[in-house]
Amino acid sequence: MDSIISLFEDMLTWVVNTIDGPLWDITILLLLGVGLFFTITTGFVQLRLLPQSLREMWGGRSTTGSSLTPFQAFTTGLASRVGVGNIGGVATAIALGGPGAVFWMWVTALMGMSSAFAESSLAQLYKTRDPNGMFRGGPAYYITRGLKIPSLAIAFAVTLIFTFGFAFNAVQSNSIVEATRNAWNWNPVYVGTTLVVITGIIIAGGVKRIGQVSAKIVPTMALFYLIIAVIILGMNIERVPGVLALIIDSAFDFSAAAGGMFGTLVSKTMLMGIKRGLFSNEAGMGSAPNSAATSDAKHPASQGLIQMLGVFVDTLVVCTCTAAIILMSDNYGGESLRGISLTQTALQFHLGEFGLHFLAFIILLFSFTSIIGNYAYAETNIRYIKNKAWFVWGFRAIVLFFVYFGAVRDGGIVWAFADTVMASMAVINLIAILILAPLVWIILKDYIRQVKNGQEPVFKIEEHEHLIHKGVDPLVWKSKE
């Protein structure tokens, strides 16, 4: 087994070294450009409808059908978003890019909230029912039905499977091993084997069980982490203005260029902030739409607003708390200490040994729910490619292999592999939602009109019959009358 894993690691290293640089040049341009485009054309939807997104999330906790509730779809998406990216990802960004990388994480999130609204609204618009009565959808579906390019949809589905089913799950298990080894000296092989067994049991239950598990665990674990963060901020309240000033002042340090086709226009600080921001909040990447499509929301924009809220919570709340904890510890410079270890050291600085053990426990929860949330995204796309039981079970076996691979290998190649595949996935999705932008505007206009009239927004396909010719399934929305 060790020789097979070593050979596989060598192959991954070659792939990453060959394509990562040029691919990220394109990704940065699209990520910020598309986010700015939707911000302007939706009238800053992420700001003016943020209170409405809270109301939609709170009101979407019950259903009478067999599909996920809007709240369960939200927490399934949040299960993938909130995790290692908020803890280890922020630490890596600061260690490699400096404090200013946090600023570029904020920028990625603010621009990305509008992209998140667009992609999740489209996923709802183009969702379909599977033979079990469950809703399914996502970029592969709106690319096929809306753009009429099934080959591009297949390409997206494959990149998502590699990103979430394989690479991100390897990152999560790697982080669990690092945290538990630092705190309790647990053996990576035993941890990896245990993760494989527990993950296998849960994913065998399918997306419905994942939504139920996530709805219970995610809010609880996020609350615990935020409570500790608030306590630390309260203990160091006089340092908060200085930390914020440090982040902003360092954001425009272009002394270390990232290279690539942008040359000195993109600093290492900016590149690391954008990379880790995308890994953390996934806005525009095309991942959250897969969970957004599974809900029984009455209007596409309702779920779009809820998923947009997930980006806000992930980066502007949780990531900022982590960054403050690290920057107030006075031990964040250089690459010798980064990732989970850097955050654990910072918590230990503030809270003593309790901080070390607390974060190990939180990482177990964050990362494990991320593993099953990641799997939910990937399963939707596997079923899009070939919805056969033997094919799905074969995929599940490969997922479990990557969970083990991440647990027993060095974090460097695991993170690098994740960066490469998530960029390829984001490029396809960002181009797709940019072309489908007119449909996003129709959805948003219809939603706002009903809200202004004091109505509960309900999407009625008979009022938008032209969308049937653009691939929208009328039976899905006819049931919402």
Side-chain angles (χ1 to χ4, degrees):
M1 175 63 79
D2 287 342
S3 60
I4 294 175
I5 291 179
S6 296
L7 180 63
F8 183 70
E9 183 176 6
D10 291 340
M11 181 183 70
L12 284 185
T13 301
W14 180 83
V15 171
V16 168
N17 291 339
T18 302
I19 68 174
D20 186 72
L23 184 58
W24 267 99
D25 287 338
I26 299 170
T27 304
I28 290 173
L29 186 63
L30 281 172
L31 193 67
L32 298 182
V34 173
L36 181 61
F37 172 80
F38 277 112
T39 294
I40 294 172
T41 59
T42 61
F44 290 82
V45 65
Q46 65 268 56
L47 299 180
R48 64 190 179 105
L49 290 185
L50 185 60
Q52 183 67 20
S53 70
L54 288 166
R55 286 190 286 270
E56 288 285 359
M57 185 271 292
W58 186 252
R61 291 172 295 134
S62 61
T63 183
T64 57
S66 60
S67 295
L68 298 184
T69 67
F71 180 73
Q72 285 177 332
F74 167 72
T75 54
T76 299
L78 203 61
S80 180
R81 280 194 176 110
V82 178
V84 169
N86 306 88
I87 301 174
V90 174
T92 300
I94 292 173
L96 299 182
V102 179
F103 174 85
W104 294 106
M105 293 183 76
W106 293 342
V107 171
T108 303
L110 284 171
M111 293 295 101
M113 285 175 72
S114 63
S115 300
F117 169 79
E119 64 184 357
S120 292
S121 296
L122 287 169
Q124 267 286 314
L125 182 67
Y126 282 100
K127 68 184 178 182
T128 61
R129 285 189 186 273
D130 67 15
N132 298 319
M134 289 283 291
F135 288 123
R136 291 194 181 275
Y141 293 77
Y142 56 68
I143 291 172
T144 298
R145 294 171 174 267
L147 296 183
K148 313 295 185 186
I149 311 177
S151 58
L152 185 63
I154 292 290
F156 175 83
V158 170
T159 58
L160 185 144
I161 290 163
F162 270 83
T163 301
F164 283 85
F166 306 153
F168 281 11
N169 278 343
V171 167
Q172 302 298 338
S173 61
N174 184 271
S175 299
I176 289 175
V177 164
E178 183 179 352
T180 55
R181 182 172 50 207
N182 290 341
W184 308 312
N185 199 31
W186 284 3
N187 187 301
V189 173
Y190 295 157
V191 173
T193 302
T194 302
L195 283 174
V196 166
V197 172
I198 299 176
T199 302
I201 292 172
I202 292 180
I203 66 177
V207 174
K208 180 69 174 180
R209 182 182 296 178
I210 292 170
Q212 293 168 339
V213 171
S214 299
K216 295 177 181 178
I217 295 179
V218 172
T220 302
M221 70 179 185
L223 180 61
F224 278 140
Y225 183 73
L226 288 175
I227 287 173
I228 291 296
V230 169
I231 291 173
I232 293 174
L233 290 175
M235 293 165 55
N236 299 272
I237 192 67
E238 73 284 353
R239 301 189 62 186
V240 172
V243 166
L244 294 176
L246 175 64
I247 291 172
I248 295 172
D249 291 343
S250 304
F252 301 97
D253 178 9
F254 287 84
S255 59
M261 71 178 183
F262 294 110
T264 58
L265 294 178
V266 175
S267 66
K268 190 174 182 180
T269 298
M270 184 178 180
L271 179 63
M272 288 308 304
I274 293 173
K275 277 188 175 184
R276 296 285 72 83
L278 180 61
F279 179 89
S280 178
N281 62 53
E282 303 171 16
M285 190 191 300
S287 52
N290 293 274
S291 63
T294 62
S295 90
D296 61 353
K298 295 179 180 180
H299 198 287
S302 298
Q303 196 66 45
L305 290 173
I306 291 173
Q307 297 303 114
M308 181 184 79
L309 181 63
V311 178
F312 180 88
V313 172
D314 174 271
T315 305
L316 298 177
V317 177
V318 184
C319 286
T320 301
C321 287
T322 300
I325 290 171
I326 293 170
L327 294 176
M328 290 189 298
S329 70
D330 297 326
N331 185 27
Y332 55 84
E335 300 184 18
S336 59
L337 192 63
R338 57 180 176 178
I340 298 300
S341 296
L342 176 54
T343 311
Q344 278 186 300
T345 301
L347 278 171
Q348 190 173 16
F349 173 87
H350 294 294
L351 303 174
E353 286 299 309
F354 169 77
L356 184 70
H357 299 295
F358 170 77
L359 190 62
F361 175 70
I362 287 294
I363 283 292
L364 274 172
L365 294 179
F366 271 143
S367 297
F368 183 70
T369 53
S370 291
I371 287 173
I372 60 178
N374 292 342
Y375 170 80
Y377 290 156
E379 184 190 282
T380 294
N381 286 269
I382 276 289
R383 291 186 183 277
Y384 171 82
I385 295 173
K386 194 175 186 67
N387 194 11
K388 297 290 185 181
W390 65 266
F391 195 66
V392 174
W393 280 103
F395 161 70
R396 288 171 177 171
I398 299 174
V399 169
L400 296 178
F401 166 79
F402 271 92
V403 169
Y404 185 79
F405 173 80
V408 298
R409 306 314 287 182
D410 177 70
I413 183 57
V414 173
W415 278 94
F417 176 46
D419 282 342
T420 301
V421 291
M422 77 176 180
S424 60
M425 174 180 159
V427 166
I428 297 173
N429 182 63
L430 289 167
I431 292 173
I433 64 174
L434 187 62
I435 298 172
L436 293 170
L439 302 187
V440 177
W441 303 332
I442 291 172
I443 293 169
L444 181 59
K445 183 179 179 181
D446 182 78
Y447 180 89
I448 292 176
R449 174 183 59 81
Q450 295 186 56
V451 170
K452 285 183 176 180
N453 291 336
Q455 302 171 322
E456 180 185 9
V458 176
F459 188 75
K460 299 178 180 179
I461 192 63
E462 64 270 19
E463 296 178 0
H464 305 279
E465 290 187 357
H466 63 288
L467 295 182
I468 298 175
H469 302 294
K470 294 185 178 294
V472 177
D473 185 350
L475 296 179
V476 168
W477 292 107
K478 196 172 184 63
S479 64
K480 291 297 175 186
E481 295 182 358

